[in-house]
Amino acid sequence: MFITQDKICFGDYDAIVVGCGFSGAVVSRELADRGRRVLIIEEKAEIGGMMSDYYDENGICIHKYGPHVFMLNSDDVRSYLERFCTLVPVTNYVHAYIEGKYVSIPTNFYSLDALYGTEKSKALQEKLIAMYGEGSEVHILTMRNSEDPEIRALADEIYQKIFVGYNAKMWGLKPEELDPSVPGRLPIRVAYNNKNCKKKYELIPEGGYSKLFRQITDSQNIDILLNTKAGSLLTLRDNAVFMNGAPYEGIVVYTAPLDELFSYADGKLPYRSLHFETEVYQGKREAPSAVTTFPMEFDKVRTTDMVELLDQKVEGFVANVSEYPGAYDKDSEKFHVPAYPVLNDDSSVIIQKYRALADQVRNFYYVGRLAEFKYFDMEASIDSALKCSEEIMKGVSSDV
Ligand SMILES: Cc1cc2nc3c(=O)[nH]c(=O)nc-3n(C[C@H](O)[C@H](O)[C@H](O)COP(=O)(O)OP(=O)(O)OC[C@H]3O[C@@H](n4cnc5c(N)ncnc54)[C@H](O)[C@@H]3O)c2cc1C
């Protein structure tokens, strides 16, 4: 399974896959199951991408790069995962910590109760129901443009207390400067509805994500080279791929940032990064739910108690993973992980240029949240990787 560079003959592989998150692992397995020999090149010391986890000395599972829960609508993606693991249902809630209060997120009637007390909350609720209909979801910016001064004032307060601080910290941008697909723009719910997950299934893999990745990549046709940056081996010339300086005729599947591959020729793609701090202690959690966001704190955006999130049967422990955002810089000590693409007009021009360059490279496919420069959750990543695999197999089926 794991291989060292001195044992590698690149010509022995039908495909080289860069990165071993879901995008890389799923494509590798699909190709391997169809008889292709695959080499995965991963820069980290472990597989699993952003999903990588470990068990600490207390037996507590910790997500190394922030909390990950499958929120799925697709039965196909669920069935795919169940080939490799048992999926366990969980239900998670989120609160924002604002001026000493825990306020339910996404904003809903529970949040109004916490912010304003039941009497004022009731009056606002009646007005919201009359204006937008019970059970509806209203975008904060729609409410801010309302003709009713009380609704405008409510929207402004929620906007200031919950959205502005979060977005300024998370993205370094104002909410209206962001592409509508970014996750920070959550609706206001006209109901007592504090469910965080709106999809059909909320699941985690039994035994953790790293175990799941070991299962996915467990094929005699897959070798994995860790601790290796693709750029140290893979170069492009005349729209062809070279491995260690020699022409490579096989398939290349690239799941890392495209700007890096093209030596930033058309500019740097902006990513937000996160720095993670983990604190495990014996005691009781103060927050009412596993996940707490901190819109009004200077630098921290979110803390997740991994014990509660994963419903772990370890009595008396809290295992907090806290996230601190900053601008991505691959040479930064704290912010070297590209976490979220910053989607705006400038970045969309840059990524289109890199896509055009990548499209010209022979036998070259790019897939995943980094290479496609999209906000992909795990479901979208797996789906995209399965589609990419189909496309590759169509392209090579003539020479099978
Ligand atoms: C903090 C956080 C929390 C999240 N929580 C959830 C959640 O709860 N639910 C959900 O569905 N989604 C969640 N996501 C999204 C999820 O992480 C992505 O959908 C997933 O990582 C996509 O997988 P990927 O393979 O495309 O990318 P990645 O997981 O990033 O994998 C890319 C891999 O490529 C490697 N790589 C990069 N550059 C190179 C290089 N030059 N050479 C070699 N290897 C390289 C990286 O080390 C990495 O292993 C979260 C994301 C973040 C940032």
Side-chain angles (χ1 to χ4, degrees):
M1 186 188 187
F2 293 104
I3 192 167
T4 50
Q5 204 178 312
D6 56 307
K7 302 262 175 4
I8 293 174
C9 173
F10 293 106
D12 289 349
Y13 296 98
D14 301 299
I16 287 170
V17 174
V18 173
C20 196
F22 270 121
S23 305
V26 168
V27 174
S28 300
R29 182 61 188 237
E30 288 296 290
L31 298 185
D33 283 352
R34 289 160 166 102
R36 297 320 196 270
R37 292 272 300 138
V38 181
L39 173 68
I40 301 177
I41 301 176
E42 167 57 57
E43 73 172 342
K44 295 204 185 90
E46 78 254 339
I47 59 174
M50 293 299 283
M51 286 62 64
S52 172
D53 57 18
Y54 65 94
Y55 284 81
D56 77 355
E57 63 275 18
N58 306 299
I60 300 170
C61 180
I62 308 274
H63 291 175
K64 207 169 167 183
Y65 303 101
H68 277 77
V69 173
F70 286 117
M71 297 185 195
L72 307 179
N73 273 332
S74 162
D75 287 300
D76 288 346
V77 170
R78 182 178 177 153
S79 309
Y80 181 80
L81 289 166
E82 282 176 337
R83 277 177 54 196
F84 305 104
C85 70
T86 302
L87 291 170
V88 183
V90 287
T91 308
N92 274 296
Y93 298 96
V94 180
H95 286 79
Y97 187 68
I98 298 165
E99 294 166 347
K101 296 169 186 160
Y102 287 97
V103 178
S104 176
I105 295 286
T107 316
N108 68 89
F109 286 177
Y110 287 114
S111 327
L112 300 188
D113 286 350
L115 281 170
Y116 304 113
T118 38
E119 202 178 317
K120 184 171 174 196
S121 169
K122 199 98 231 125
L124 288 167
Q125 289 174 26
E126 279 164 16
K127 195 161 240 189
L128 287 168
I129 290 171
M131 289 187 74
Y132 302 111
E134 192 160 12
S136 61
E137 294 197 339
V138 192
H139 198 287
I140 183 77
L141 297 180
T142 309
M143 271 174 65
R144 287 190 87 205
N145 292 329
S146 163
E147 286 180 1
D148 185 307
E150 218 181 347
I151 295 296
R152 270 206 314 276
L154 168 69
D156 279 348
E157 196 167 350
I158 292 171
Y159 178 81
Q160 290 303 334
K161 288 187 173 164
I162 298 180
F163 290 82
V164 169
Y166 175 87
N167 281 296
K169 259 186 305 188
M170 192 65 213
W171 302 102
L173 292 169
K174 290 189 196 128
E176 51 270 32
E177 290 173 332
L178 291 165
D179 187 280
S181 63
V182 299
R185 300 179 121 190
L186 297 170
I188 312 294
R189 289 186 183 153
V190 184
Y192 278 104
N193 176 2
N194 59 353
K195 261 200 103 192
N196 181 43
C197 176
K198 285 174 71 182
K199 295 202 176 172
K200 247 162 63 182
Y201 310 113
E202 194 174 4
L203 303 159
I204 51 166
E206 193 174 76
Y209 287 94
S210 290
K211 180 178 172 192
L212 165 60
F213 276 87
R214 285 195 295 277
Q215 294 295 115
I216 296 176
T217 54
D218 182 20
S219 158
Q220 58 179 12
N221 283 336
I222 298 178
D223 286 332
I224 303 173
L225 176 65
L226 294 175
N227 298 308
T228 307
K229 258 197 169 299
S232 67
L233 294 171
L234 187 159
T235 46
L236 300 175
R237 212 182 320 139
D238 301 330
N239 295 328
V241 173
F242 290 74
M243 294 304 298
N244 232 356
Y248 178 71
E249 304 297 339
I251 299 289
V252 172
V253 180
Y254 192 82
T255 77
L258 280 184
D259 56 354
E260 191 183 309
L261 178 72
F262 292 102
S263 308
Y264 308 100
D266 285 308
K268 277 192 180 179
L269 287 166
Y271 292 91
R272 289 301 278 177
S273 182
L274 289 167
H275 165 69
F276 302 94
E277 282 183 13
T278 302
E279 185 196 18
V280 179
Y281 59 89
Q282 278 180 296
K284 216 173 159 311
R285 191 185 60 254
E286 184 196 293
S289 52
V291 182
T292 307
T293 64
F294 295 91
M296 305 194 80
E297 243 182 61
F298 166 64
D299 54 357
K300 181 163 63 174
V301 273
R302 177 165 76 165
T303 293
T304 303
D305 176 10
M306 298 304 308
V307 175
E308 174 73 17
L309 183 89
L310 306 179
D311 200 13
Q312 302 191 66
K313 307 292 174 229
V314 272
E315 288 298 310
F317 278 97
V318 177
N320 281 338
V321 176
S322 295
E323 296 163 52
Y324 299 83
Y328 164 67
D329 173 357
K330 71 180 174 43
D331 299 318
S332 155
E333 197 188 319
K334 278 191 168 176
F335 299 115
H336 56 272
V337 177
Y340 300 110
V342 179
L343 305 170
N344 56 32
D345 291 346
D346 292 346
S347 63
S348 111
V349 170
I350 299 175
I351 187 62
Q352 276 168 33
K353 287 183 182 166
Y354 286 123
R355 282 183 193 142
L357 289 175
D359 287 342
Q360 289 172 38
V361 181
R362 286 191 292 283
N363 300 332
F364 185 87
Y365 296 81
Y366 55 95
V367 64
R369 66 182 195 99
L370 298 172
E372 294 184 70
F373 199 70
K374 287 186 179 158
Y375 181 83
F376 272 168
D377 62 9
M378 294 185 284
E379 179 177 48
S381 306
I382 294 165
D383 190 51
S384 186
L386 289 170
K387 289 193 175 112
C388 177
S389 312
E390 286 305 319
E391 200 189 317
I392 294 170
M393 290 316 296
K394 259 192 240 152
V396 295
S397 56
S398 51
D399 44 51
V400 174

